Amino acid sequence: MTLPVEIAPSILNADWTRLAEQIRDAEAAGIDWISLDVMDGNFVPPITFGAQMASAVRSLTGLPIEAHLMVEHPEDHIEEFIEAGVNCVTIHIEATRHPHRLLQQISEAGVDAGITLNPGTPLTEIEAVLPICDRVQIMSVNPGWGGQRFIPESLQRITQARQLLDANGREHAHVAVDGGVNESTIAAIVEAGANWLVAGSAVYNDRESVADAVARLRRALASD
Ligand code: DX5
């Protein structure tokens, strides 16, 4: 099964003083999702925002929204993001003792359940939850910051994630990639098996408009 390639700008690198405009620009540029990088200052050093931001973004766009919870004890926060109206909640396998239960809880709420893992976490850690997840997100940078360099060893992890999902009857589940997705890495990332791409600084930067940035990514995909 070949899943369509979807691009999900992360607002982490957007200009938050004009967030409504930045989201509208991304929507007009033809992106597919909006990704929210939720950071608690514990699981990762920075602190970004909570469910109130999810509610605000929900009021600004009809696009599906993904909440990437880079937080300790995601079990304490899942409900508020679901209530805020997100369409996917992605939790870190490293952040909870009960990933299976939490992914069940997310799915039972009618929300896509995502599992993600840091670059240093073996893929074997997520094997037990593969049958109940709607996506596996490969972190291709160490989480916490935008604008980092893509970790090249992530490519083989992307392929492994696709193979593991297919082996578990989850051909419809996405392989997502987060970190260092840009015009020079996007083709290899998709070639490796990813179909759902978070892009922060490649979409929101001070070099070009959002429209031009998204077009650049799409061209890099098309030229492959
Ligand atoms: C890491 C963040 C970033 C962000 C994307 O914690 O999750 O990966 O979404 O940032 P870029 O696309 O600039 O690497």
Side-chain angles (χ1 to χ4, degrees):
M1 169 189 265
T2 305
L3 297 170
V5 175
E6 297 182 272
I7 295 176
S10 156
I11 65 167
L12 186 65
N13 286 71
D15 178 349
W16 293 4
T17 67
R18 53 192 188 91
L19 189 57
E21 180 188 336
Q22 294 263 267
I23 288 176
R24 274 197 303 274
D25 289 349
E27 206 164 357
I31 54 96
D32 306 288
W33 285 69
I34 295 287
S35 179
L36 305 179
D37 284 313
V38 182
M39 302 181 192
D40 67 355
N42 288 301
F43 185 76
V44 291
I47 296 174
T48 53
F49 42 69
Q52 280 180 286
M53 174 63 88
S55 298
V57 172
R58 182 72 288 159
S59 72
L60 293 172
T61 180
L63 286 175
I65 300 168
E66 180 242 3
H68 173 193
L69 301 188
M70 289 167 273
V71 304
E72 296 291 352
H73 306 298
E75 56 271 19
D76 297 339
H77 306 285
I78 284 171
E79 277 311 316
E80 55 187 353
F81 281 92
I82 291 171
E83 282 162 22
V86 303
N87 305 84
C88 176
V89 175
T90 302
I91 63 171
H92 270 265
I93 191 73
E94 304 93 350
T96 177
R97 288 183 179 163
H98 297 288
H100 193 282
R101 186 183 79 198
L102 298 190
L103 292 170
Q104 283 181 320
Q105 178 186 342
I106 295 165
S107 295
E108 283 158 12
V111 172
D112 285 358
I115 192 74
T116 185
L117 60 175
N118 294 329
T121 302
L123 277 155
T124 50
E125 294 287 303
I126 63 170
E127 282 185 355
V129 298
L130 288 174
I132 62 168
C133 69
D134 300 302
R135 67 177 64 189
V136 170
Q137 179 163 296
I138 299 296
M139 290 306 298
S140 37
V141 296
N142 284 294
W145 299 271
Q148 300 181 79
R149 286 177 60 81
F150 179 82
I151 297 170
E153 290 77 13
S154 307
L155 292 175
Q156 66 202 37
R157 288 163 60 86
I158 292 164
T159 303
Q160 275 181 292
R162 185 69 269 164
Q163 291 167 344
L164 285 168
L165 283 168
D166 293 348
N168 279 273
R170 306 297 284 181
E171 289 83 357
H172 60 286
H174 298 302
V175 172
V177 173
D178 182 356
V181 176
N182 56 45
E183 68 174 319
S184 60
T185 60
I186 194 168
I189 289 168
V190 170
E191 182 66 28
N195 74 288
W196 201 94
L197 312 173
V198 177
S201 53
V203 173
Y204 293 118
N205 59 62
D206 55 9
R207 300 185 300 277
E208 58 194 340
S209 70
V210 171
D212 289 347
V214 172
R216 182 187 298 275
L217 287 174
R218 296 283 190 197
R219 274 199 307 275
L221 270 179
S223 62
D224 177 42

